[in-house]
Amino acid sequence: MTGRILVVDDVATNRIVMKVKLAAACYAVDQADCGEAALAAARAGRPDLILLDVVMPDMSGLEVCRRLKAEPETADIPVILITALTDRASKMAGLEAGADDFLTKPVDEVTLLARVRSLLRARDTARELRQRGEPALGFAEAAATFAGQERPGRIALVAPGPKGAVLWKTALDDRLGGEVSILPRDAALMGVGSEEGEAPDVFVIAADLTHRNEGLRLLSDLLSRPATRNAATVMILPAGDGERAAIALDLGAHDILYDPVDAQELALRIRTQLGRKRQADRLRASLQAGLEMAVTDSLTGLHNRRYALFQLDRMIARPGRGVAVMLLDIDHFKQVNDRHGHSVGDAVLSLVARRLRAQLRTGDLLARMGGEEFLVALPDSDRRAALDCAERLRASIGETPFLVGGEVPPLTITLSVGIALAAPGSSEAGQSLIDRADGALYGAKAHGRDQVTLSPLPAA
């Protein structure tokens, strides 16, 4: 099964008909016959999507939707309201209650299934991001809490002609505020839409621009480009064009609307998409922060041992002049901690890291391996270049005393450095290079410290 859907309707025949349609599309279907039963089923079963009738005997579908969106456990479950009501006020009330769509009976099966696919795809993406990000930073904020709390965002309007775009913009300016801009197709493809040069948060695109289906092709292009692939998209289609509405949703549109555009409805749908976009952005930021934490030393901000070993093996595998690996160890560091305390020792480690980084190229690898030991790896480096760099690093630490503040006097800190070289095309593993550099480091320590020692090449 591709998802579990809860169908809520007080008429058994309606539930059965809907279940047959969904089951034919390989969805698992649960059923509820009233509002209270729907709330209980949603809390207990956590369905992937809810199809909810508006008119029911115990409470309206609008009230059920409000309660679902108010509870953190059910707030992120997509809800499609299905009703015989056709008036505009009912649709606006449904969208304001938090529903993702409002479909009028009899429901077009093609449009319904396309909408279901679209919402399930969006929820799966958010769920995956949340699961990856939560273990790192504990991000666990319900989707519904974002809407209305963030600034309106950047909205880009791509319409067939300036007249239509101006009408959209005028209507949205009165209801959304913020930055609503009119973009030609080419500017949209470049991801341009704000003074800061950032891509818009939401694109509102007419299906037909200069040519028929040009808006649909633009949608595909936007989703394929890094600058705009995470933006939300609302497609505007001719009235009654359910076939192309389904195509737009399957291409990746986040929402659809039909001409003539109702300005209030468009504003409501944009707010919903902005809320989801904000949530997804935060989840991605949480995930990125978690990934960085996993490969970063928290004290110095340098890469850690795990990252260094992985990157070193990649560096050796690349064609080039060779790779130089250095292990650097702060001499007599224990005495710093014993005399001045661990807070001063931490400050020294951070300052050492800063000075080392300042001496290295952009493509060089610098990592803290643990304690007072650091690793440097130089791609495209030979013996002379490695020795020159090692002497610069040693001098950057030993020639200028460290000022850590407080009542601590300037501290003289020195480094011992061991170097191991991998010849071009070498098959030597990164850990083997590190072991040889460690042996050279031991030699530097044994011969008086504050010096550089080079490991001999391994026997052929």
Side-chain angles (χ1 to χ4, degrees):
M1 293 292 179
T2 56
R4 180 169 294 277
I5 299 175
L6 175 62
V7 176
V8 185
D9 197 307
D10 60 318
V11 179
T13 303
N14 292 343
R15 296 197 303 273
I16 293 171
V17 170
M18 190 62 70
K19 180 176 181 178
V20 170
K21 292 179 180 180
L22 295 170
C26 296
Y27 294 108
V29 180
D30 295 329
Q31 301 181 51
D33 60 2
C34 64
E36 287 293 349
L39 291 171
R43 292 165 184 151
R46 302 293 296 276
D48 296 301
L49 185 142
I50 299 175
L51 299 179
L52 179 61
D53 189 23
V54 172
V55 180
M56 292 184 291
D58 59 338
M59 73 175 74
S60 73
L62 299 181
E63 179 60 25
V64 174
C65 187
R66 292 189 192 98
R67 293 193 188 184
L68 289 170
K69 297 300 179 180
E71 297 182 15
E73 295 80 8
T74 57
D76 65 342
I77 301 176
V79 176
I80 299 177
L81 292 174
I82 298 179
T83 179
L85 301 174
T86 59
D87 59 293
R88 176 179 179 275
S90 296
K91 176 182 280 191
M92 295 303 104
L95 295 174
E96 289 174 349
D100 296 272
D101 207 351
F102 188 99
L103 301 181
T104 303
K105 297 177 182 177
V107 177
D108 177 69
E109 183 176 347
V110 173
T111 302
L112 171 66
L113 293 177
R115 171 57 83 182
V116 166
R117 289 191 296 270
S118 174
L119 291 172
L120 290 179
R121 186 167 57 244
R123 193 189 182 202
D124 286 345
T125 299
R127 181 182 292 169
E128 182 178 359
L129 287 171
R130 186 178 294 109
Q131 289 173 344
R132 291 182 178 180
E134 277 181 353
L137 295 182
F139 185 88
E141 193 164 359
T145 64
F146 290 95
Q149 292 185 3
E150 298 281 355
R151 61 177 174 77
R154 299 177 294 273
I155 316 300
L157 309 178
V158 187
K163 181 178 179 180
V166 169
L167 291 175
W168 290 357
K169 177 173 169 54
T170 301
L172 290 175
D173 281 339
D174 294 338
R175 290 170 171 82
L176 284 177
E179 184 182 333
V180 181
S181 58
I182 299 172
L183 288 186
R185 172 187 170 279
D186 291 346
L189 284 174
M190 295 173 63
V192 176
S194 70
E195 294 179 359
E196 297 82 4
E198 298 180 16
D201 296 302
V202 179
F203 286 93
V204 180
I205 307 170
D208 300 324
L209 299 173
T210 305
H211 306 288
R212 179 175 170 82
N213 290 329
E214 190 174 16
L216 295 177
R217 290 190 290 272
L218 173 61
L219 169 66
S220 296
D221 281 333
L222 293 174
L223 293 176
S224 70
R225 302 187 180 209
T228 52
R229 67 167 53 121
N230 293 323
T233 50
V234 179
M235 294 297 300
I236 309 299
L237 295 121
D241 195 346
E243 181 179 354
R244 285 202 296 166
I247 292 173
L249 291 169
D250 284 336
L251 284 174
H254 297 85
D255 208 344
I256 54 172
L257 199 58
Y258 295 99
D259 268 331
V261 173
D262 184 299
Q264 182 182 357
E265 181 178 358
L266 178 58
L268 285 171
R269 292 182 183 272
I270 288 175
R271 288 195 193 102
T272 297
Q273 295 306 322
L274 278 171
R276 290 181 184 159
K277 170 71 162 48
R278 299 296 187 196
Q279 183 197 29
D281 286 347
R282 293 191 183 192
L283 289 169
R284 290 187 186 92
S286 174
L287 175 58
Q288 182 62 34
L291 293 173
E292 290 177 359
M293 287 174 61
V295 298
T296 302
D297 173 60
S298 60
L299 175 62
T300 62
L302 301 179
H303 293 304
N304 61 17
R305 182 185 186 90
R306 175 189 299 176
Y307 181 89
L309 293 174
F310 173 74
Q311 286 297 105
L312 180 56
D313 282 334
R314 294 182 63 188
M315 194 180 290
I316 295 171
R318 297 190 195 112
R321 291 167 50 202
V323 175
V325 171
M326 306 178 197
L327 280 184
L328 307 87
D329 190 85
I330 301 176
D331 297 325
H332 302 298
F333 184 70
K334 184 176 183 298
Q335 295 180 10
V336 175
N337 285 329
D338 291 345
R339 292 175 182 174
H340 306 289
H342 287 279
S343 62
V344 172
D346 289 348
V348 169
L349 288 170
S350 295
L351 291 171
V352 167
R354 191 179 306 170
R355 291 191 189 182
L356 294 177
R357 186 188 288 116
Q359 298 297 322
L360 296 171
R361 303 167 299 181
T362 301
D364 296 336
L365 173 63
L366 173 62
R368 183 185 176 199
M369 300 297 279
E372 63 271 27
E373 190 172 72
F374 299 84
L375 178 140
V376 171
L378 309 177
D380 299 324
S381 184
D382 56 18
R383 182 178 184 276
R384 175 45 52 194
L387 287 170
D388 288 346
C389 179
E391 287 294 343
R392 286 199 315 273
L393 295 173
R394 187 191 61 78
S396 73
I397 303 303
E399 292 183 355
T400 305
F402 284 70
L403 304 177
V404 296
E407 299 180 359
V408 180
L411 302 176
T412 298
I413 304 295
T414 61
L415 279 181
S416 296
V417 184
I419 305 175
L421 299 174
S426 171
S427 60
E428 187 175 6
Q431 186 59 58
S432 174
L433 264 177
I434 292 174
D435 291 342
R436 289 201 292 116
D438 189 50
L441 174 61
Y442 181 82
K445 293 282 189 181
H447 288 85
R449 297 180 171 84
D450 190 22
Q451 59 184 278
V452 176
T453 302
L454 179 65
S455 170
L457 291 171

